Amino acid sequence: MKKKLKNAKGLWPELLSEVLWAYLTTPKTSTEETPYSLVYETDTVILVEVGEPSLRYSNESRPSNDESRRQDINEAEERRDMAYIRMIAQKQQVESYYNKKAKIRPLKVGDYVLKAKTQASKDPQEGKLGTNWDGPYKIMAAVSKGSFHLETMEGKFLPNNRNVAHLKYFNF
């Protein structure tokens, strides 16, 4: 969609409706449903099928169409629930994949750690061979899950909390 709009340059207002229609009628991987069907409780009929009757469009008669719409409305809540269940299952799959690769760093109060240097705090005179870690520091308090108050070896508190992703365990 982005590629189509990029190639159109100044014509994007004319193509926007086509792009939005494509977005609304494409099934999403998390729910396996189209956003259109979840909102309007029915499948989409492509505009070409209205002008050039297809088998699907021409076989619908007024009474059977009304009956199928009532049935779609009755099944809409069930379809939304199933889409929600599929979405939650996909999120759990992504979470388990992430957690397999995540490094667990069990740091606790009283441990000594090294703090990663930021680009701004690195000395430009050292160049690329300079140190990447500051420290050691002592963990004084666990603020929240993975966030700590640090103290220098001289007993001076650091002003901001530090995330566990920027800390490395240090043993003497």
Side-chain angles (χ1 to χ4, degrees):
M1 289 185 284
K2 191 186 294 186
K3 185 177 181 181
K4 189 169 184 172
L5 285 176
K6 188 176 183 181
N7 291 340
K9 299 288 181 194
L11 300 175
W12 70 268
E14 288 81 20
L15 293 176
L16 187 60
S17 62
E18 295 174 24
V19 172
L20 290 175
W21 182 259
Y23 176 78
L24 289 173
T25 58
T26 304
K28 304 301 170 215
T29 55
S30 61
T31 61
E32 296 176 12
E33 295 282 342
T34 64
Y36 186 92
S37 67
L38 291 175
V39 171
Y40 296 109
E41 304 167 354
T42 184
D43 290 327
T44 57
V45 176
I46 301 173
L47 298 176
V48 173
E49 291 180 353
V50 175
E52 292 285 327
S54 67
L55 205 55
R56 174 180 153 198
Y57 188 73
S58 62
N59 284 343
E60 294 290 328
S61 64
R62 175 64 98 194
S64 69
N65 189 28
D66 291 342
E67 182 59 35
S68 69
R69 291 298 143 235
R70 278 191 217 98
Q71 187 177 359
D72 283 347
I73 290 171
N74 293 338
E75 294 173 355
E77 195 63 36
E78 182 180 336
R79 288 177 69 190
R80 287 185 183 134
D81 290 342
M82 292 304 294
Y84 180 73
I85 289 169
R86 285 191 295 269
M87 185 177 70
I88 296 297
Q90 189 218 19
K91 285 183 180 181
Q92 288 173 344
Q93 280 181 326
V94 169
E95 181 183 2
S96 68
Y97 177 77
Y98 172 79
N99 288 339
K100 277 193 267 183
K101 295 186 174 280
K103 292 181 182 177
I104 298 172
R105 298 183 185 163
L107 298 176
K108 57 187 180 298
V109 175
D111 285 347
Y112 290 95
V113 293
L114 297 176
K115 177 179 66 89
K117 279 188 177 180
T118 61
Q119 194 67 31
S121 66
K122 286 187 179 180
D123 185 12
Q125 299 296 328
E126 292 178 352
K128 66 180 182 180
L129 298 177
T131 62
N132 293 326
W133 299 93
D134 278 338
Y137 297 98
K138 185 176 181 182
I139 296 178
M140 294 310 295
V143 180
S144 64
K145 185 178 180 181
S147 182
F148 300 101
H149 277 300
L150 300 180
E151 176 183 80
T152 63
M153 297 301 280
E154 293 81 34
K156 182 180 173 191
F157 281 101
L158 294 181
N160 298 326
N161 300 336
R162 303 290 185 238
N163 192 310
V164 72
H166 305 290
L167 301 175
K168 180 165 63 170
Y169 185 75
F170 178 77
N171 31 334
F172 286 101

